Each structure stands twice: as structure tokens, then as C-alpha cells.
Amino acid sequence: MFNWQGRTDSEDGEKGLRWHQRVKRDVDLQDFASDAVTTDVALVGFASDLGVKHNKGRLGAAGGPNAIRGALANLPWHWPYAQLTDFGDVGVDPIRTANSQHSSHGNSDIDNTSRTAQEAIPQCALSQAQNQYANAISYALTADLHTKANGTTNKKPTDNQRLVIGLGGGHEIAWGSYLGLFNAHANHAEQATVAGKRSGKRIGIINFDAHFDLRKPAPNTSSGTPFRQVYEHCQLHNVPFHYACVGVSKAANTSALFEFADSSNTRYVLDTQCNFSTICDTLAPMLQDIDLLYVTVCLDAFPASAAPGVSAPSALGIDPLLVIRVLRYLAEKQQAMQYKWQLCDIAEMNPQFDIDSRTAKLAARLIFEVTDALV
């Protein structure tokens, strides 16, 4: 578990508290049975860059969750009625998996069967970690976390928002986040729309990213395939695929990816066309047609000067201030457009390539802004 620490301004009392002083840190991801957990903002880390490796990118994002926590620690806590909980990390341990697989083959690890099994280990490890992370997301979204054992609550009576924030890790986090949200509302997600009225929990995804991440697994899933996996999952469960990508770089996506985006009815705004009105006009029709919103921010959407600590730095990128403005718009439109936004994640934080913690600080500021808009 990350050791939260930072500046303490005891002379200011409760009004001088920071994230490291408000976070509850004794929650075990392996123990979801506890009824004593109370939270309004939940952090769940996905310490993986195996998907980045499968996507032929630069490794290091497995250290992303703790880099973001380090940048969050000293930020001021402005929400006195809200509780913050850190659920720790889910990670990939291919070495342990490989050792287990190796021992099961004894001394025959050089034969073709063993070679095939060894090649399959990373994908098995990634899928297992994504499923564990999805379970953590589902738990954080649906457990009765607001009420203490004595029946009291830490919130104002009129507040009912809960925010779950995923900390990445490669963008393979997105498949786990979506799956966690889908599973949390599984009893409703497969209900079809009847006569144009809302009758099910239809999920919409907004991805701030230079890349579509709609690649076809070849053969492994990766940080470049999560929304292709979501599309296939929607097809399997006969639910609509609502996906929008903001900040797409034509220089970073092949014609095949643009063709699939068009055939799958993906909404997108190119990085060269990003302005507030264009983004809102693109997103509004989707927002009016969903019940649940999941927002994912890939840090390579931003200029390399602001976010050098990523696998694939952007030559152009989009303005962080514009993204923050859109995030606040998404929070403000919930009631009018009748959707609920409770899940957000930050992807592709790679501390090995960060400079002066710029990327980590940007990730932390985005989380701060989302929290301020939703809590």
C-alpha cells in the first residue's frame, strides 16, 4: 500500500487538510466483505504496463498509480463532507504466473507444448488482472459505502454522488473499468430501449486520447485494443456501443482504424479541430442517449511539454484547460440529460519518462478537477 505523506498545516485546523491527511488507507482489495468502509471518493490503481508491451510501447506505466498518488498527496482537500478511500492496486505478476506454469511442466519446458504455454502467460496474467480490477471497480461503485455501522453518514442529506477513480497504468485499464461498470449494473444493462424511452443502463464512454484504441487483438489484447473489446462485448450482449474519442490524431491512427471507427459509429473530434463548441456538439447526442457515463483520460492526449511521461508522447496534443472545461460540462449536464457519471480513470502515466513530475501533476490536477465538479 502506498505511503501517503506530505505537508501538514496544523495551524489551519480542518481547513488546512490535504489529500494525504484525509485518505483512508487500511482497505484491503482482497477483502470486499467489510461493512465498515465509508467513502465518497474511491481510488483504485491498476499497476500494469503489460498491455503497453503488447502494443509495442515504452514500458514503465506499472509505476503510474503511485506516481499519481504522490502528486495528489499535497493537494488541498476542499470537500469537508466527503470521505476519501484508497483501495490500493491491482497489478500483473507475470513472473509468478510463469514460475507456476514452469513448475507444472517439470523439466519439459523446452518442448513445444511448454513454449506455447509460456507465450500465453502474459495474456493470461493481463486478463486476470483486468478481471480483478473490474471486480474492485464494481465493488467501489455498488457497495453500501456511505453508511457507517451505526447508521450515520458523512454526507449532506441532499448529496448522493459517489466517484470512483482508476489510476493507470497502461490504457488496458479501460477494459477493466468498463467491465466493472457493466457488471455493477448487470441486471439492467441488457434491457433494450423501448419506444425511444430509457429502459436500461446504457453505458457511454468518452475517451480523451490521441489514439482510438480500437485495434484488433493481434493476437493479444493490449493498451491499444480496449474499445475494440468493448465493441465486441456490446455486440455479444446486444447493447448499443456508445463511444466518443476527443483529441484523435490523424497522424497517429491508420486508415484501418478510421474505417472501423466509422463503421462502429464512433464519434470523434480530431486534435486539430478541438474547441469547446465542437466537442460539446459531438458529445451531446450520445449523452442524451445513455444512462451511465465513463470518462477515461489518456495522458498522451496532451502536448509532450505538458505530459512527457507517457509511452507515446504527442507532437501536438490538446489543451489541458479545454479538457478541464469539458469535464466540468459533463458534470453539469447530468441532470438535464439524465445520465450519471461516477467512473473516471487516468491512463498511460509513465514515471520513467516524466520530467519534473509534470505528467503526474497534470494527472493529479485532472483528478482534482473531476472531484471538485462531482463531489
Side-chain angles (χ1 to χ4, degrees):
M1 183 67 73
F2 178 75
N3 181 26
W4 287 84
Q5 56 184 331
R7 173 172 174 158
T8 299
D9 297 320
S10 56
E11 67 276 13
D12 293 326
E14 289 288 318
K15 294 183 179 180
L17 295 180
R18 301 173 185 270
W19 283 58
H20 73 90
Q21 294 168 287
R22 289 302 303 259
V23 66
K24 180 179 176 63
R25 292 165 282 185
D26 57 350
V27 178
D28 188 350
L29 270 173
Q30 305 302 318
D31 180 17
F32 290 158
S34 173
D35 293 328
V37 179
T38 62
T39 195
D40 302 286
V41 180
L43 305 178
V44 183
F46 186 69
S48 165
D49 55 14
L50 188 53
V52 177
K53 180 179 180 181
H54 290 170
N55 202 28
K56 305 173 185 177
R58 303 192 296 179
L59 301 185
N66 281 348
I68 296 174
R69 289 184 178 98
L72 283 170
N74 264 333
L75 296 185
W77 186 260
H78 284 279
W79 314 279
Y81 294 97
Q83 298 295 312
L84 171 66
T85 303
D86 182 2
F87 285 86
D89 291 344
V90 170
V92 176
D93 189 358
I95 295 177
R96 184 170 58 187
T97 309
N99 290 338
S100 174
Q101 185 70 43
H102 174 79
S103 64
S104 69
H105 284 275
N107 295 322
S108 62
D109 59 314
I110 60 172
D111 62 24
N112 290 335
T113 301
S114 181
R115 289 182 192 277
T116 301
Q118 292 292 328
E119 291 171 358
I121 284 169
Q123 183 59 52
C124 292
L126 177 57
S127 297
Q128 182 181 29
Q130 286 171 317
N131 287 331
Q132 290 175 348
Y133 171 78
N135 290 340
I137 292 296
S138 292
Y139 173 76
L141 285 168
T142 61
D144 186 14
L145 300 178
H146 288 169
T147 304
K148 293 182 178 180
N150 62 5
T152 63
T153 179
N154 293 299
K155 298 179 69 65
K156 294 180 179 178
T158 56
D159 292 341
N160 59 4
Q161 181 68 287
R162 176 185 304 172
L163 174 61
V164 179
I165 301 172
L167 310 176
H171 215 165
E172 61 266 33
I173 191 177
W175 169 239
S177 290
Y178 166 82
L179 198 60
L181 181 60
F182 178 87
N183 290 340
H185 299 275
N187 292 334
H188 306 285
E190 294 183 355
Q191 297 178 23
T193 302
V194 178
K197 297 180 180 179
R198 297 179 184 275
S199 59
K201 299 298 184 183
R202 294 161 296 168
I203 297 173
I205 302 171
I206 297 174
N207 177 26
F208 293 92
D209 200 335
H211 309 91
F212 281 119
D213 288 345
L214 287 167
R215 292 182 181 275
K216 184 186 300 183
N220 291 327
T221 61
S222 72
S223 59
T225 67
F227 305 110
R228 184 68 165 255
Q229 293 171 263
V230 173
Y231 172 80
E232 293 173 351
H233 185 269
C234 290
Q235 295 290 103
L236 179 64
H237 291 271
N238 193 31
V239 295
F241 178 61
H242 292 297
Y243 173 54
C245 191
V246 177
V248 176
S249 169
K250 192 172 183 179
N253 295 270
T254 64
S255 295
L257 290 171
F258 275 96
E259 287 180 5
F260 185 79
D262 291 336
S263 66
S264 62
N265 295 318
T266 296
R267 301 174 185 274
Y268 60 89
V269 182
L270 296 177
D271 52 3
T272 55
Q273 300 173 351
C274 274
N275 59 68
F276 185 70
S277 61
T278 299
I279 294 171
C280 293
D281 288 346
T282 301
L283 298 180
M286 186 185 80
L287 295 174
Q288 293 170 350
D289 204 32
I290 64 172
D291 302 286
L292 303 170
L293 176 63
Y294 156 45
V295 175
T296 179
V297 181
C298 183
L299 292 167
D300 68 22
F302 303 103
S305 58
V310 296
S311 173
S314 177
L316 184 60
I318 57 178
D319 186 355
L321 286 174
L322 174 61
V323 172
I324 289 172
R325 187 179 177 190
V326 175
L327 292 173
R328 289 192 171 274
Y329 164 84
L330 296 173
E332 292 167 0
K333 290 297 180 179
Q334 289 183 93
Q335 185 173 357
M337 295 190 180
Q338 299 180 46
Y339 63 85
K340 179 176 282 190
W341 178 19
Q342 292 183 294
L343 177 61
C344 180
D345 62 40
I346 306 291
E348 296 292 336
M349 174 65 229
N350 189 329
Q352 290 192 22
F353 296 97
D354 208 1
I355 300 172
D356 296 330
S357 299
R358 293 178 202 169
T359 320
K361 290 177 180 178
L362 175 58
R365 180 59 185 266
L366 292 169
I367 291 171
F368 179 93
E369 295 293 338
V370 170
T371 303
D372 195 46
L374 289 174
V375 173

